[in-house]
Each structure stands twice: as structure tokens, then as C-alpha cells.
Amino acid sequence: MISYAFDYARPTTVEDALAQLDDDAKLLAGGHSLIPALKLRLSAPAKLVDIARIPALKGIRQDGNELVIGAATTHKEILSSDLIKEHLPMFAEGAALIGDPMIRYKGTIGGSIAHADPSADWPAMVIAAEGTVVVQSKSGTRSIAADDFFTGFYMTALEEGEIITEIRFPVPAEGTRMTYQKFTQPASRFAIVGCAAVRKPDGSARVAFTGVSDAAFRDTGVEEAVGDWSTAAIEAAAAKTAEGMELNVDHFASEAYRHHLARVYCKRALVAISE
Amino acid sequence: MAQITVKVNGKEHTSEVEPRLLLSHYLRDVLNLTGTHIGCDTSSCGSCTIHMDGMAVKSCSILAVQADGSEVTTIEGLATNGQLHPVQEGFKECHGLQCGFCTTGMIMSAADFLNQNPDPTEAEIRHALEGNFCRCTGYHNIVRSVQWAANAMSEGVIE
Amino acid sequence: MSNKYIGQSVKRIEDKRFITGKGRYTDDIKLLGMTHAAFVRSPYAHAIVVSIDTSAAQDMPGVMAIFTGDDIKATGIVGVPTGWQVNFKNGDTMKEPPHPLLVATGSTVKHIGDPVAVIIAESYAAAVDAAEMVEVEWEDLPAVTDPMKATQEGATLVHEDAPGNLAFDWELGNPLSEVDQAISESAHVTSLEFVNQRLVPNAIEPRAYIGQYDEVSDKYTLYTSTQNPHLIRLLMCAFVLGIPEHKVRVLGPDVGGGFGSKIYHYTEEALVTWASKQINRPIKWTETRSEAFQLDAHGRDHVTKAEMGFDADGNIKALRIKTFANLGAYLSTFAPAVPTYLHGTLLQGLYTTPKIHIDLQAVFTHTVAVDAYRGAGRPEATYLLERLVDLAALEMGKDPIQLRKQNFIPAFDGVDQPGYQTQVALQYDSGNYHGVVDKAMEMLGYEEFRRMQKEASQNGKLLGVGFSTYIEACGIAPSAVVGALGARAGLYESAQVRVQPTGKVSVYSGSHSHGQGHETTFAQIVADKFGIPMEDVDIIHGDSDAVAFGMGTYGSRSLAVGGSAIVKSIDKVLEKGAKIAAHKLECSEDDLEFDEGKWTVKGTDKSISFGDVALTAYVPHVYPQGLEPGLDFASFYDPTNFTYPFGCHIAVVEVDKETGKVKLNRFIAVDDVGNVINPMIVDGQIHGGLAQGIGQALLEGAIYDENGQLINASYMDYAMPRADDLPMFELGRQETPCPHNPLGVKGAGEAGCIGSTPAVVNAVIDALWSGGHKVKDIMMPLTPERVWTAMQQ
């Protein structure tokens, strides 16, 4: 397996990267989705712009009331971060379920959400944690709410010439509980169903799914039904999962079974954070 | 073509490579380090696992140009001063290999894992090896090999 | 003779190179001037190759040569043959359509990945780049992939000259009328229709070949990742390329797993060999994993209707089977033998069933060839029997173990008691079937489990236990028997034992390890038999120029057949050595005993060592008159019967009620593989087999859609067991020696894979019954969705 030929650039700043990012170029971060796709010749970029080592894109920090994760921060860095464990424990829990140890060393959160695999883990977690995706282009920066970011099957709100620089999350208020529950596809280890759920101190919920439909999505139907978090309310909320949506079908899960699993995993996630 | 300099098993190599050349092919075909094996094309099987800048990675999903400036250890460089790494010893002691093909990647993964978790449970070992396929052993003796290595390292039997 | 090594878990000699990255697999080999091949393959399962335009590819940088199917056709090379002929019930010859190296224009491709052209270039990248520039015009045709649909009226034909897509039909056992009658007279009949699904072998080393031609000697060398170098040479020379065998050397370097898939002679082997002469440069081809999924012969793929009749007391009275076996598009090397002589003949199982009949349709489809995959036919037979017996126990309200035991063949050692003659052609060698069951049950703690299961059930949890007992025929095989059954080769083995002048020993074996540890096990035998250290023994295999002949490694045969051949040669060495020793010690051979590496005159301290005798044989100054110098013997061993390992496997599972996901909590395997030379290696073989058998039950299965696309042709889509899918295995052992080979061994390579699959499925069914879900069957693999769906009914 070998890719078509391409050029390679490894800029050291975002500005350099933007300068390199012409029409036929693709960004390379961890590369664990892109490089296999190149090897299978499913994609033929003229140039790869390697942003994995740009210092400005790396690291996890607190910025006032926000936690900021650089786009090129790896799954492994996230799951090992004390800041994350303290404020966004769901991310540590979820990142540990991505791929395998070698993939977690190389794969990045920015790469994952930009690729927008409908079964990837990060999109659900990023939505549930109310992330804001910060992107930069030659014409400046803009912020996209995670709720609006995942627009379809491998599709995002990113435009040509934009680089994700960081993802920002409000620091959850004390007493917030969160979890990511995943039913794993046994071959790829992506999610057949992944449910990220957050319970705020005021009892309100944020619930998002991956694997269920063509793109990760926030499920307000579930959120609104969770009410007093009683067993009955959780049952009722879980029953509303993905209501009226068109669901993914593959040889691991039919539409009906996937819908059932999504409800089960919604319930499990809600129960896990109900007290 | 691009020029890269990679320190492999302690020795620096400077090479002209096509950007599309995978690190796994660079190691095997350019440096003749054929202990790194290629078992799939989807970054799934783990046969090509090496250490790059201290981390276990799948060299079939990394371009050689990405390794420019990096330090790489392959299975050929895992033993130090003629002394096998405890994981290598463990695999031999516990019959953790049969055909040997997945073995090199399996050992590289396990060695990295024990660096992080020197006293793992069986379940932790199994979880840590989720990125490496073995079709011969049923993993039973691989798990025992890693346990053996963990014991050897903690008891200072080796190193 | 000494007792230092045999029976000991000696650490493997071959490990040193593997754990340090010094193994040498075919793809690791680089030859001077080596070029690389890439193939142009069909994206369709069934299509006419209308035209091929290679002109753009010819102009690509680095391209040395391009060959198409038309080029091959022009040489008169027809294709690769099968090694086995099974005729129709009515005596008509099996349909054996050609399997071309490359499909020519005007012909049809018959499965995804069928090749039409090969590019040979200076580098791998150049070959792949150029392959994409070959323009092929295809005329897509309807495909058939299901073996039952393929035999229906009006089905698309895979081969014009195979009506109804039948390669052959076949039957075995008692007359059908007698079986019909026994079934109709039965007090209870358990019936089941099921699919034993298609599996992808997935040796982790993809196949790799290097063809090399030497102009001066007019000799070819083929490096190949194969389980049987000599068999490849025989097939390729005599049946494909028409090259005399002495002009071809086949080398099998280290081989990264096979599980059957590397037995067969593949088209690419012949192609790189042939083409290396055309371009006068070595050519390497290593398949990608994507190609491996599409091209390596798959396993299993039976659709079966099975009925088992019982009398009122639960005694099995009859078994009636109808099976459709999917053989794929072309007949692979062993393919015709798998559903017939490796499957139909095992339907006696461990039971005294008096009337058995199997009717089999062997069917062509637009899928890649199906051939022997670990166990090969015997897992299908075992699955069928053990699912039926288990289901019968549930239906009749009997204990599944008691029901089995009451129907078991009584113990026999094959020496004082005769072998057991089955209704399906075989004669079992020796067995003690109750023994393995009792041992496994003790390890399980049956009563305690049933108590826990009840408790779990009250807490809303689904625990289950599943049993399986099995017998297999391995150590294949007596040549006369397999010849009568249609084999086109003998299935003996050869071994040469060369004692060097220093007393060190080189053993040349026709067996060929691809993970089995022959270099260790064989050396244990040789060292003990000669009373020398293992370090003094080298095992040489995988080189057709070094080894006289060989039939290779498959069917759990290496030790039983290849090891026995080594013993024959050892005996010859010792016989001649005794002559030399007697001469040196000035006594009669009858006065000598050989022990601990020396010949001693009985009752004296006069002795001569093995090494001194070896030296004398090569420096024959003081030497028996008329005796040839040298100490070097070759032997061929042709077994007198198959060997029959057997065992009992038990799975304990928990089923997640909400998702249907099965967790394997325990797996107990008690196997009787005859005498054991290296327990560590035998355990390892069992472990690996268990994982593959469990994989079939829970995870694996190739899925062709109705257009013949293989929709899970990657590790992202084809689920295979990983470390965290499996528990630690609990093994037990019983040793009933094989009465008919000198080592008393039976074979351990496939046992794990044969017994485990039905145990897991039975355990899941048991778990569901414990929760009140009276489910008869669930199709493999038992994915969470299938188990969950079964619970909803």
C-alpha cells in the first residue's frame, strides 16, 4: 500500500501553515485516519501540511473560565492531563476508549473533529461539554459552537483554508457530573453508539451522541425529558433518544438495534451521573 | 524528495526520501531493519509498532518525513548492551510467540506499556494490547509474558 | 535414549531470532536487481474482460514489463490445479474448470480481486502507480454468492460447463433409506438448519513471493510464504508451468502463520516464477491486507440441514445431513476434500449413532476459493453434532452432559481392544471419551455453576455454560487411503537424519513450521533418542534443494507424520551405529545396549560414545567389513491410519440482557492429543486454536453482498479476537497414546479450533434459556445484535 505522490511541509507556526495551505493541500495532524486513507488511494492531495508539532496548537490550559485544548493535543495527552481529570473527567474517560495506545499517542482532538468520522468519540464529548471550535484562516479567526460544527457525514462547518487552532470549553461549575459511555465496534473500535452526558448543578442536562447518525448531534429531546433525574424520568428521557432521526446501518447494527443501543447507552450515561 | 535525519537505535541516519514513503518502509527497505513488520493497511494490527521519541507508535501510519528529527527504537535496538529487554525475555520464557510475525510489534507495545504501568493487572495488560493482533497464541501466553516481564523488572531480576 | 527432553516444556530454539527482529520472512528478503509486482484486479465479482489497454501504464517511470491474461494464454499455461478429485455420486468426473493466472480478454473474472494483468517495475511504488494506469473495459454481469441460491434453477453460472454450479455432489454413510427409516421411527427428532459461516484465515503475515531465474543454470528459485514448499514445487512444475522439478528450488523462509491459507498453490507464485525468466530479474510480490482478505482462500461456508433421531431413552438412533458447501469460484488445492473427507467422515463424532447419512452439494459461487482453514471440515462436523446434541438435551429436558455420555463410544486403547469402526469410513485409533469429560466437569465445578446460574437468573443476569466434545482425524494421512478418496498426492512425510563426523546432527524435515516450533520439538526427540544435548541438533526445513521431499505442515500432521519419519531415520542411524560400535568394542550387536548417548557391552563398563561412533563412520579405519562409511539416513513415513485426538470444551458466558453482548468468562479445554513431547508448545497450540474457534462463534464472518462485493475486507470491518476479548484459558490434558505411530502422538494444531466454537454457542443458548428465552439457535457470529434479537422473540 502506497499513497499517490505528494509534497510535504512541516511549518512551525499557524501562519506558516496557512501560507502553505493551498487548494490541493491537506492538513496532517496525527495522521491515523488520513494516512490509511492515502495508502488506500481514497484521497489524492498534492501536499500535506504537517501541523502536529506547531507549538501554538498544542497543550491544555485554563484561560479564566475556560479550558483550552490545542487542536494538535493528542488523546494520550488529554487522558493524562490533571486539568482535564479535574474539570472534564469525561474527556479522560472517553479518550482512553479511542483506538488503542499507539493511536492515542498520535491521534489529536483537532484532527478527529475536523475529520468528523460519524463514529468518532470526540464529537459527542465536545458537543456535550459545550465546546467552541476556534479556527484560523488567512482572513482571521472565528469561533464555531460545537453544536453547529458537525454538519453531516464527514462534514463540518470548516471552510477551505481554515485550521482548527483550539477548542474551548466553559469550566464546569462545581458539582457538574459527566460521563462518556461507548458501545464499541469490535473491529475498528470506533463507537457503534457513544453517548456523552453532562449533568449541571441546576439539574439541567447536555446529551450528545456519536455513531448513531451521519454526524454527532446534541439531543435536546433527551435533555428536556430528563426532568428530576428520577428513574422514571431517565427511562422516559432515554426513550426519546434520536427521535425521528435517520440512523446509521452497517453489518454491526441495523437501524432498529442501533436505536435500541442508543437508548440503552443514553440510559446508562444518565444513570451514571444521576446522583 | 525530502531530506530527513532520524536517529534509529542510537545511530543517526540522513536519507533522501519521497514524502509518501511510510516510516515502516523506510525502516525495512532503506535501513534494512526488517524486524518491523507490516501486517495491514488500516493502522489496525500493530505489527509495525516501534518507539518514536519514547512513545509506541504504528510506523505504517507515519510518514518517514514525519520522523525527521526524531529518535526511533525498533525491535533490533530494544536490547541494551547485549542484554535482552525483560519483555523479550518474558516472551521466550512464557512461550508468548509462535510464528513470530506479530511478536516484534507486540513486544514494543508491551515495553512501552510497562514503562507507564509497571505493576499491571491482567485486565490492564489485555486492554493495553488492544492495538496488536496475534493470530497464533490466543493472547494467553502473551499476557503471561508481560506479567513475567513486570515481575522481572520490579524484582530487579533483569536490569 | 535419554529422558532429558521429551515431555519437557523446553523453551523454543527459534524464539531468539523472533524476539530480536531477526526472523527472516519472505518480504524481508532482498535480492540483487529485484523488481516488484503489482496486479490489476477486478472490482467486480463477475464481469467480462472486454479489453485491456496497457499503453499508458507502459510509459510510466520504472515499468519493466506488463503481462496480461492474453500473454499468459499465448504461452499455453492453463492455470493452477486442485490437488484432490471427488467425483459425482453417479461417477461423473468432478467439474474442474481452469483457474488462470490472469484472466484473458473475452473471458470472465469470477470473484472480486481476480487479476487480469501484472505490472513489474523497478520499485513497489512504480508498480502500483502504473497498475492504476491500466485501462480495463469490463462488462458487469450478475453474480451469485450464496451456495443454496447458486444451485437453484436459473442461477447465474460461474462456469459454463458446470451446470447448476455444481462441482460435484457426494454422499457417505449408511443407505439413505435406512437412515430415513431410523429417523421416522425415532421417539424424538432434533433438527436444525444453520450456516457455518465463511471465515477469513488472517495469518498476520500477508502472503509474499519472490521469483528468481538464473540464466546460467537455467534454474528458478521461488521464495514463498508457504506451509509446504515441496508441494508448491510439485504443483507448479508438473501442473502449471511445465518446468522439470530439478530446475526449480522452492524456499520457505520463516512463515508468519498460515492456518491453512498458505497450503495452497496460488496463481501469484507461478506468475512471479514464470515472469522472472521473461524479464531475467527477480520479482517480489507481497500482498496487502486488502488483497489478503479478497484472495487468500477462506474457510467453512456450509449451509446445512441436520436431523438427529433419538429413542425414548435418549439414545441416538440416526443422523441425517444435507449440506451445501460453498467452494468459491475456483477449486483450491485441498478444496474438494474439505467438506467431504474431512467433514462427512467425522459425523460419527464420539457417539455410537448406528445410522448416518450425509448428502453434500459442492457449489461454485462468485467468491474467492474456500479451502481448509484450521480444523477444515472437522469444526463444521463438530459444530453440527454438538449443537444438535445440546439442543436435543434442551428439547428433551435432559442434562447435556449425561445425554452425551450415554451415547459415547466406550473407551478402547487400540492395542488390546480394536479400533472403533464408524459408519462413515474411518476407524478410530484409541480413545477414552468419558475421561476428558469427567476431567473438564471437575475443572468447571458443574453443581456450583448451576447454583450460581440460578442465583444470577434471580438477579436478572444471564449466565450460561456450554459443552462440546469432539473428535478429529488428523496426522493426515495414509497415502493409499487418501488416494482411494481422490487425493492426487501421497500424504507421507520424509526426514533425513545426518550425523556429522563430530556427532552433531542435522535433521532435514519435509514438515514446514509456520509457528509450530518444529526446531524445538523435533530437536527434543532427536537429542533424547541419541542421548546428546539439544544444542547438538539442528532442524533444517523449508528448502526443496536441501530436503529430499516433503508434504508440509497442515492437518495437525507434523509430529505424527513428520516426527515419525524422523524416528524412522533415527532408528536406522542407531542400527548402523550399533554395527560400528560392536566392531569397535569387539562384541556382537546383541550384546550392546544404547543408553545416555553410548553403546555399552551389557554387564560391563566397556562402551563407546555416539560421537566416537559418528567419527568412526566418517573415518572408517577400524570398521566392519562391507559396511558403507557415513551415518546419514533418509526415510519416508507413510502412516497406517489417521490419528484421532479428542476432547471436551466448556465455555462460561454472561450475556448482557440489554445489549445482547456476550462476555466469555471462562473457557475450559481438556484435550487428549496422545503423547506430548513439549507440553508448553502443545498448550500454545490449543490456546491459539481456542481463540480462532471462539472468534468464529462470537466475532468473525466474511460478508459478501449479493453483487459479490466483500463488504468487510479490512480489519476495520472484520472483527477478530483481541487480547481483551478473551479470558485466561483453563487447560487440562489426558494422554491416550496413538497406537500406530512410533511416538504415540496424535496432533494438537487444530483441536482448540474444533471443540471451542459449539461450546461458546451452546453457552449463549444456555444463558438465554436460563432467562426464559427458549431460543433454538442463533446464527454465527453471535453478534450482540443477533443475541439481542433472539431475546426479543
Side-chain angles (χ1 to χ4, degrees), chain B residues 2-56:
Chain B
Q3 193 186 70
I4 61 169
T5 300
V6 192
K7 196 170 187 182
V8 181
N9 300 332
K11 193 176 163 210
E12 204 159 88
H13 297 270
T14 298
S15 315
E16 291 282 327
V17 299
E18 265 198 291
R20 63 172 164 168
L21 183 71
L22 297 169
L23 181 55
S24 50
H25 285 139
Y26 174 69
L27 295 169
R28 291 177 53 79
D29 300 341
V30 180
L31 303 186
N32 293 317
L33 294 168
T34 54
T36 298
H37 301 145
I38 298 171
C40 77
D41 31 44
T42 47
S43 195
S44 308
C45 79
S47 300
C48 65
T49 302
I50 58 158
H51 294 175
M52 182 168 151
D53 299 325
M55 295 177 282

Coordinates of all heavy atoms in Angstrom, one line a residue, chain B residues 2-56:
Chain B
A2 N 12.7 14.5 -0.1 CA 13.0 15.4 1.0 C 14.1 14.7 1.8 O 14.3 13.5 1.8 CB 11.7 15.4 1.9
Q3 N 14.9 15.5 2.5 CA 16.0 15.0 3.3 C 15.5 14.9 4.7 O 15.0 15.8 5.3 CB 17.2 15.9 3.2 CG 18.4 15.2 3.7 CD 19.6 16.1 3.8 OE1 19.7 17.0 4.6 NE2 20.6 15.8 3.0
I4 N 15.8 13.7 5.3 CA 15.4 13.6 6.7 C 16.6 13.0 7.5 O 17.5 12.4 6.9 CB 14.2 12.6 6.9 CG1 14.6 11.2 6.3 CG2 13.0 13.1 6.2 CD1 13.6 10.1 6.7
T5 N 16.6 13.4 8.7 CA 17.7 12.8 9.6 C 16.9 12.2 10.8 O 16.1 12.8 11.5 CB 18.6 13.9 10.1 OG1 19.2 14.5 9.0 CG2 19.7 13.3 11.1
V6 N 17.1 10.9 11.0 CA 16.4 10.2 12.0 C 17.5 9.4 12.8 O 18.4 8.8 12.2 CB 15.4 9.2 11.4 CG1 14.5 8.6 12.5 CG2 14.6 9.8 10.3
K7 N 17.4 9.5 14.1 CA 18.3 8.7 14.9 C 17.6 7.3 15.2 O 16.5 7.3 15.9 CB 18.6 9.4 16.2 CG 19.7 8.9 17.0 CD 20.1 9.8 18.1 CE 21.4 9.4 18.8 NZ 21.7 10.3 19.9
V8 N 18.1 6.3 14.7 CA 17.5 5.0 14.8 C 18.4 4.0 15.6 O 19.5 3.8 15.2 CB 17.1 4.3 13.5 CG1 16.4 3.0 13.6 CG2 16.3 5.3 12.6
N9 N 17.8 3.5 16.7 CA 18.6 2.6 17.6 C 20.0 3.2 17.9 O 21.0 2.5 17.9 CB 18.8 1.2 16.9 CG 17.4 0.6 16.7 OD1 16.4 0.9 17.4 ND2 17.4 -0.3 15.7
G10 N 19.9 4.5 18.2 CA 21.1 5.2 18.6 C 22.0 5.7 17.5 O 23.0 6.4 17.8
K11 N 21.7 5.4 16.3 CA 22.6 5.8 15.2 C 21.8 6.8 14.3 O 20.7 6.5 13.9 CB 23.0 4.6 14.4 CG 24.2 4.8 13.5 CD 24.6 3.5 12.8 CE 25.4 3.9 11.6 NZ 25.4 2.9 10.5
E12 N 22.5 7.9 13.9 CA 21.8 8.9 13.1 C 21.9 8.5 11.6 O 23.0 8.1 11.2 CB 22.5 10.2 13.4 CG 21.6 11.4 13.0 CD 22.1 12.7 13.7 OE1 22.9 13.4 13.2 OE2 21.6 12.9 14.9
H13 N 20.8 8.6 10.9 CA 20.8 8.3 9.5 C 20.2 9.5 8.8 O 19.2 10.1 9.2 CB 19.8 7.1 9.2 CG 20.3 5.9 9.8 ND1 21.1 5.0 9.2 CD2 20.0 5.3 11.0 CE1 21.3 3.9 10.0 NE2 20.7 4.1 11.1
T14 N 20.9 10.0 7.7 CA 20.3 11.0 6.9 C 20.0 10.4 5.5 O 20.9 9.7 4.9 CB 21.4 12.2 6.8 OG1 21.6 12.7 8.1 CG2 20.8 13.3 5.9
S15 N 18.8 10.6 5.1 CA 18.4 10.0 3.8 C 17.5 10.9 3.0 O 16.8 11.8 3.5 CB 17.5 8.7 4.1 OG 18.1 7.9 5.1
E16 N 17.6 10.7 1.7 CA 16.6 11.4 0.8 C 15.4 10.4 0.6 O 15.6 9.3 0.2 CB 17.3 11.6 -0.6 CG 18.4 12.6 -0.6 CD 17.9 14.0 -0.6 OE1 16.8 14.3 -1.2 OE2 18.5 14.9 0.1
V17 N 14.3 10.9 0.9 CA 13.1 10.1 0.7 C 12.0 10.8 0.0 O 11.9 12.0 0.0 CB 12.6 9.6 2.1 CG1 13.6 8.8 2.8 CG2 12.1 10.8 3.0
E18 N 11.1 10.0 -0.6 CA 9.8 10.5 -1.1 C 8.9 10.8 0.0 O 8.9 10.0 1.0 CB 9.1 9.5 -2.0 CG 9.4 9.5 -3.5 CD 8.4 8.8 -4.3 OE1 8.3 7.5 -4.2 OE2 7.5 9.4 -4.9
P19 N 8.2 11.9 0.0 CA 7.3 12.2 1.2 C 6.3 11.1 1.4 O 5.9 10.9 2.6 CB 6.7 13.5 0.7 CG 7.6 14.2 -0.2 CD 8.3 13.1 -0.9
R20 N 5.9 10.4 0.4 CA 4.9 9.4 0.6 C 5.5 8.1 1.2 O 4.7 7.1 1.5 CB 4.2 9.0 -0.7 CG 5.1 8.5 -1.8 CD 4.3 8.0 -3.0 NE 5.1 7.8 -4.2 CZ 4.6 7.1 -5.2 NH1 3.4 6.7 -5.3 NH2 5.4 7.0 -6.3
L21 N 6.8 8.0 1.4 CA 7.4 6.8 2.0 C 6.9 6.7 3.4 O 7.1 7.6 4.2 CB 8.9 6.9 1.9 CG 9.6 5.6 2.4 CD1 9.4 4.4 1.4 CD2 11.1 5.9 2.5
L22 N 6.4 5.5 3.8 CA 6.0 5.3 5.2 C 7.2 5.0 6.0 O 8.2 4.4 5.5 CB 5.0 4.1 5.2 CG 3.7 4.3 4.5 CD1 3.0 3.0 4.4 CD2 2.9 5.3 5.2
L23 N 7.1 5.3 7.3 CA 8.2 5.1 8.2 C 8.5 3.6 8.2 O 9.7 3.2 8.3 CB 7.9 5.6 9.6 CG 8.9 5.5 10.7 CD1 10.3 6.1 10.2 CD2 8.5 6.1 12.0
S24 N 7.5 2.8 8.2 CA 7.7 1.3 8.2 C 8.5 0.9 7.0 O 9.5 0.0 7.2 CB 6.4 0.6 8.2 OG 5.5 1.1 7.2
H25 N 8.2 1.4 5.9 CA 9.0 1.0 4.7 C 10.4 1.6 4.7 O 11.4 1.0 4.3 CB 8.3 1.5 3.4 CG 7.1 0.7 3.0 ND1 5.9 1.2 2.6 CD2 6.9 -0.7 3.1 CE1 5.1 0.2 2.3 NE2 5.7 -0.9 2.6
Y26 N 10.5 2.8 5.3 CA 11.9 3.4 5.5 C 12.8 2.5 6.3 O 13.9 2.2 6.0 CB 11.7 4.8 6.1 CG 13.0 5.5 6.4 CD1 13.9 5.9 5.4 CD2 13.4 5.6 7.7 CE1 15.1 6.5 5.7 CE2 14.7 6.2 8.1 CZ 15.5 6.6 7.0 OH 16.7 7.2 7.3
L27 N 12.2 2.1 7.4 CA 13.0 1.2 8.3 C 13.4 -0.1 7.6 O 14.5 -0.6 7.7 CB 12.2 0.9 9.6 CG 11.9 2.1 10.5 CD1 10.9 1.8 11.6 CD2 13.2 2.7 11.1
R28 N 12.4 -0.7 7.0 CA 12.6 -2.0 6.4 C 13.5 -1.9 5.1 O 14.4 -2.7 4.9 CB 11.3 -2.7 6.0 CG 10.4 -3.1 7.2 CD 9.1 -3.6 6.8 NE 9.2 -4.7 5.8 CZ 9.6 -5.9 6.1 NH1 9.7 -6.3 7.4 NH2 9.7 -6.9 5.2
D29 N 13.1 -1.0 4.2 CA 13.7 -1.0 2.9 C 15.0 -0.2 2.8 O 15.9 -0.5 2.0 CB 12.7 -0.6 1.8 CG 11.4 -1.5 1.8 OD1 11.5 -2.6 2.3 OD2 10.4 -1.0 1.3
V30 N 15.0 0.9 3.5 CA 16.2 1.8 3.4 C 17.2 1.4 4.5 O 18.4 1.3 4.2 CB 15.7 3.3 3.6 CG1 17.0 4.2 3.5 CG2 14.7 3.7 2.5
L31 N 16.8 1.2 5.7 CA 17.7 0.9 6.7 C 17.9 -0.6 7.0 O 18.7 -1.1 7.8 CB 17.3 1.5 8.1 CG 17.1 3.1 8.0 CD1 16.9 3.6 9.4 CD2 18.4 3.7 7.4
N32 N 17.1 -1.4 6.2 CA 17.2 -2.9 6.3 C 16.9 -3.4 7.7 O 17.3 -4.5 8.1 CB 18.6 -3.4 5.9 CG 18.8 -3.2 4.4 OD1 17.9 -3.4 3.6 ND2 20.0 -2.7 4.1
L33 N 16.1 -2.7 8.5 CA 15.6 -3.2 9.8 C 14.3 -3.9 9.6 O 13.2 -3.3 9.8 CB 15.5 -2.0 10.7 CG 16.8 -1.3 11.1 CD1 16.6 0.0 11.8 CD2 17.7 -2.2 11.9
T34 N 14.4 -5.2 9.2 CA 13.2 -5.9 8.8 C 12.4 -6.5 10.0 O 11.5 -7.2 9.8 CB 13.5 -7.0 7.8 OG1 14.6 -7.8 8.3 CG2 14.0 -6.4 6.5
G35 N 12.9 -6.2 11.2 CA 12.2 -6.7 12.4 C 10.8 -6.0 12.5 O 10.0 -6.5 13.3
T36 N 10.7 -4.8 12.0 CA 9.4 -4.1 12.0 C 8.6 -4.7 10.8 O 8.9 -4.5 9.7 CB 9.6 -2.6 11.8 OG1 10.5 -2.2 12.9 CG2 8.3 -1.8 11.8
H37 N 7.4 -5.3 11.2 CA 6.6 -6.0 10.2 C 5.4 -5.2 9.7 O 5.0 -4.3 10.5 CB 6.2 -7.4 10.7 CG 7.4 -8.2 11.1 ND1 7.4 -9.1 12.1 CD2 8.6 -8.3 10.5 CE1 8.5 -9.7 12.2 NE2 9.3 -9.3 11.2
I38 N 4.9 -5.5 8.6 CA 3.7 -4.9 8.1 C 2.6 -5.9 7.9 O 2.8 -6.8 7.1 CB 4.0 -4.1 6.8 CG1 5.1 -3.1 7.0 CG2 2.7 -3.5 6.2 CD1 5.6 -2.4 5.8
G39 N 1.6 -5.8 8.7 CA 0.5 -6.8 8.6 C -0.8 -6.3 8.1 O -1.7 -7.1 7.9
C40 N -1.0 -5.0 8.0 CA -2.2 -4.5 7.5 C -2.1 -3.1 6.8 O -0.9 -2.6 6.7 CB -3.3 -4.4 8.6 SG -3.1 -3.0 9.7
D41 N -3.2 -2.6 6.4 CA -3.1 -1.2 5.7 C -4.0 -0.3 6.4 O -4.3 0.8 5.8 CB -3.2 -1.3 4.2 CG -4.2 -2.4 3.8 OD1 -5.2 -2.6 4.5 OD2 -3.8 -3.1 2.8
T42 N -4.5 -0.6 7.5 CA -5.5 0.3 8.2 C -5.1 0.7 9.6 O -6.0 1.1 10.3 CB -6.9 -0.5 8.2 OG1 -6.7 -1.8 8.8 CG2 -7.5 -0.6 6.9
S43 N -3.9 0.6 9.9 CA -3.4 1.0 11.2 C -4.0 0.2 12.3 O -4.3 0.7 13.4 CB -3.8 2.5 11.4 OG -3.1 3.1 12.5
S44 N -4.3 -1.1 12.1 CA -5.1 -1.9 13.0 C -4.3 -2.9 13.7 O -4.5 -3.2 14.9 CB -6.2 -2.6 12.2 OG -7.0 -1.7 11.5
C45 N -3.3 -3.6 13.0 CA -2.8 -4.8 13.5 C -1.6 -4.7 14.5 O -1.3 -5.6 15.3 CB -2.4 -5.8 12.4 SG -0.8 -5.4 11.7
G46 N -0.9 -3.6 14.4 CA 0.2 -3.3 15.4 C 1.5 -4.0 15.2 O 2.4 -3.8 15.9
S47 N 1.6 -4.8 14.1 CA 2.8 -5.5 13.8 C 4.0 -4.5 13.6 O 5.2 -4.9 13.8 CB 2.7 -6.3 12.5 OG 1.7 -7.3 12.7
C48 N 3.7 -3.3 13.2 CA 4.7 -2.3 12.8 C 5.1 -1.4 14.0 O 5.7 -0.4 13.8 CB 4.2 -1.5 11.6 SG 2.8 -0.5 12.1
T49 N 4.7 -1.8 15.2 CA 4.9 -0.9 16.3 C 6.4 -0.7 16.6 O 7.2 -1.7 16.7 CB 4.2 -1.4 17.6 OG1 2.8 -1.5 17.2 CG2 4.3 -0.5 18.7
I50 N 6.8 0.6 16.8 CA 8.1 0.9 17.2 C 8.0 2.0 18.3 O 6.9 2.4 18.6 CB 8.9 1.5 15.9 CG1 8.1 2.8 15.4 CG2 9.1 0.5 14.9 CD1 8.9 3.7 14.6
H51 N 9.1 2.4 18.8 CA 9.1 3.6 19.7 C 9.7 4.8 19.0 O 10.7 4.7 18.3 CB 10.0 3.3 20.9 CG 9.4 2.2 21.8 ND1 10.1 1.7 22.9 CD2 8.3 1.4 21.7 CE1 9.4 0.7 23.4 NE2 8.3 0.5 22.7
M52 N 8.9 5.9 19.0 CA 9.4 7.1 18.4 C 9.3 8.2 19.5 O 8.2 8.4 20.1 CB 8.4 7.4 17.2 CG 8.8 8.7 16.5 SD 7.8 8.7 14.9 CE 7.7 10.4 14.6
D53 N 10.4 8.8 19.7 CA 10.5 9.8 20.8 C 9.9 9.3 22.1 O 9.1 10.0 22.8 CB 9.9 11.1 20.3 CG 10.5 11.7 19.1 OD1 11.8 11.5 19.0 OD2 9.9 12.2 18.2
G54 N 10.1 8.0 22.4 CA 9.7 7.5 23.7 C 8.3 7.0 23.7 O 7.8 6.6 24.8
M55 N 7.6 7.0 22.6 CA 6.2 6.5 22.5 C 6.1 5.3 21.6 O 6.7 5.4 20.5 CB 5.3 7.6 22.1 CG 5.2 8.8 23.1 SD 4.2 10.1 22.4 CE 5.3 10.9 21.2
A56 N 5.2 4.4 21.9 CA 5.0 3.3 21.0 C 4.0 3.8 19.9 O 2.9 4.3 20.2 CB 4.3 2.1 21.7

